[in-house]
Amino acid sequence: MTTKSAPALIILLSLSITACAGNPAPPIGPPALTEAPTLEEGWHAEFVTIQVIDAPLVPLQQWIGRSNELVAAMEETDAIKKPVEVKVVSGTWPETGSVRWLRFSDGHYTYERVLENRLPVHFRYQVWGLTSSASAHITYAQGQQDWRVLEDGRSEFTWTYRLRPNGIIKRPFVQGFLDNDMKPFMEGAIGRMASKAETQFSGWREQGLEPVPGR
């Protein structure tokens, strides 16, 4: 995969909106970049998942990013495909306002932009411009990552994911997809990544690694 300076967890938010039966043929290249939809208040399909990982926060995030460990832990389904190529098209990723496109294994694309970057504790981003049939149901997606160090030094990762349906009638369909397809896919990938991370960082306290160096 081609990528530039990107926390690997960001990619996961794009996966849910590539899914839908009866996809049109994928384009021969990325679609023209359009202005991102305005973020709206009101109802979104949403779920939250929390994973505690026995590893130091900042070294853990660096390890995830270096080797795209989350992407490696993903197991494709009929509904959800993995990203195979990423290209930054505006700004410097992952700075606030930067934009990139992602191409998935089925040939479809989407764009994503950084809304807020306060890593290592907070990251928020938006996805739009889908070329798959999901665009018939979803205006945009918004993801938020929140990290904190627990009292015992372990890392807690909270991932909030929101989809904006493009009509009231689509709400049950979109929420059902999140609950039945995206949530188990995401939790499986994060769980496998967490298990590998805990093996990778086994004995990290004895090695003197700090969750947030210099703090």
Side-chain angles (χ1 to χ4, degrees), residues 28-46:
I28 59 173
L33 177 61
T34 59
E35 186 175 350
T38 301
L39 299 176
E40 300 181 56
E41 299 296 330
W43 193 90
H44 290 68
E46 178 179 303

Side-chain angles (χ1 to χ4, degrees), residues 95-214:
E95 293 179 359
T96 299
S98 58
V99 177
R100 68 183 187 178
W101 56 249
L102 289 83
R103 181 173 65 85
F104 297 90
S105 63
D106 63 357
H108 283 286
Y109 290 82
T110 192
Y111 280 98
E112 63 183 15
R113 65 166 176 154
V114 179
L115 298 173
E116 186 179 11
N117 183 350
R118 292 191 286 107
L119 287 172
V121 296
H122 178 80
F123 196 94
R124 190 165 61 93
Y125 41 90
Q126 180 185 17
V127 174
W128 82 100
L130 323 173
T131 65
S132 71
S133 58
S135 62
H137 308 284
I138 298 164
T139 301
Y140 64 82
Q142 185 179 172
Q144 179 171 313
Q145 302 168 12
D146 293 290
W147 294 84
R148 71 184 182 107
V149 179
L150 301 179
E151 289 184 3
D152 60 5
R154 293 181 300 167
S155 300
E156 181 185 82
F157 170 55
T158 301
W159 197 69
T160 303
Y161 193 74
R162 309 178 78 205
L163 289 175
R164 179 71 179 184
N166 58 15
I168 293 177
I169 198 171
K170 307 290 180 63
R171 291 178 177 180
F173 169 81
V174 174
Q175 186 66 58
F177 170 72
L178 278 183
D179 294 340
N180 300 324
D181 292 280
M182 184 57 186
K183 185 174 182 178
F185 174 88
M186 184 196 69
E187 290 182 340
I190 293 176
R192 287 185 289 272
M193 182 196 70
S195 294
K196 186 174 180 181
E198 290 182 350
T199 299
Q200 173 73 22
F201 288 95
S202 177
W204 63 271
R205 294 173 181 82
E206 292 76 9
Q207 297 167 29
L209 292 178
E210 294 292 333
V212 181

Side-chain angles (χ1 to χ4, degrees), residues 15-84:
L15 297 174
S16 70
I17 55 182
T18 67
C20 275
N23 262 348
I28 59 173
L33 177 61
T34 59
E35 186 175 350
T38 301
L39 299 176
E40 300 181 56
E41 299 296 330
W43 193 90
H44 290 68
E46 178 179 303
F47 72 90
V48 179
T49 189
I50 300 174
Q51 178 75 50
V52 175
I53 306 174
D54 190 6
L57 179 63
V58 171
L60 170 64
Q61 291 180 356
Q62 293 170 342
W63 173 78
I64 292 170
R66 277 196 304 269
S67 303
N68 281 322
E69 293 293 342
L70 184 64
V71 175
M74 294 173 186
E75 295 183 355
E76 284 195 352
T77 68
D78 290 340
I80 303 176
K81 304 304 178 185
K82 294 174 65 168
V84 295

